[in-house]
Amino acid sequence: MNLVPHAPTTAHLGHYLTRTPTGFVLHMSASPRNLRAARGLTHDVLHGAGVEPDAVDGAQLVLAELYGNALHACGDFAPLVAEVEAGPTGVWVRLHDPDRVRLPRHTGVPLDDPCAESGRGSR
């Protein structure tokens, strides 16, 4: 599936977009404006790829939730990388720190521990 055969790379204040054959990679600083841009881009790219509307809405929701988590953990204007990809078996949405070498640390507390202070979205 080739969404944009010769998509240009564009840059704007606060974000740098690279289109891929099946989606995009967006380097951005965490801000409400950039989240709106990423959600709109997600809609446009997935809609253009023929993805079902419910899956497009779901992808936008996942992106916003991941963004909110990153903003909560890292603060305003933290560097983030959003990746959205449409494929024959589904849609992939990733949001991560630009330093892919850094990984989350395991605390040793089982996720299903009722006394855990974090994990599975709890605070």
Side-chain angles (χ1 to χ4, degrees):
M1 162 183 343
N2 191 0
L3 301 178
V4 185
H6 302 290
T9 301
T10 59
H12 298 281
L13 183 60
H15 76 270
Y16 179 83
L17 170 65
T18 304
R19 293 187 185 262
T20 65
T22 60
F24 66 88
V25 177
L26 178 62
H27 291 255
M28 65 180 164
S29 57
S31 72
R33 183 182 134 249
N34 286 338
L35 175 59
R36 281 190 302 276
R39 284 180 52 100
L41 186 61
T42 298
H43 174 272
D44 294 347
V45 166
L46 296 180
H47 180 74
V51 173
E52 293 291 325
D54 286 347
V56 173
D57 292 344
Q60 289 179 297
L61 183 61
V62 167
L63 179 68
E65 180 68 21
L66 292 172
Y67 176 90
N69 291 345
L71 189 62
H72 178 73
C74 302
D76 291 337
F77 306 110
L80 301 172
V81 179
E83 299 178 61
V84 175
E85 180 181 356
T89 59
V91 173
W92 289 264
V93 177
R94 300 173 202 85
L95 188 83
H96 58 86
D97 182 292
D99 183 2
R100 291 191 139 217
V101 175
R102 293 174 43 194
L103 296 173
R105 293 184 321 238
H106 294 283
T107 63
V109 177
L111 290 177
D112 60 352
D113 183 338
C115 297
E117 294 182 15
S118 64
R120 295 193 188 171
S122 63
R123 296 177 193 234

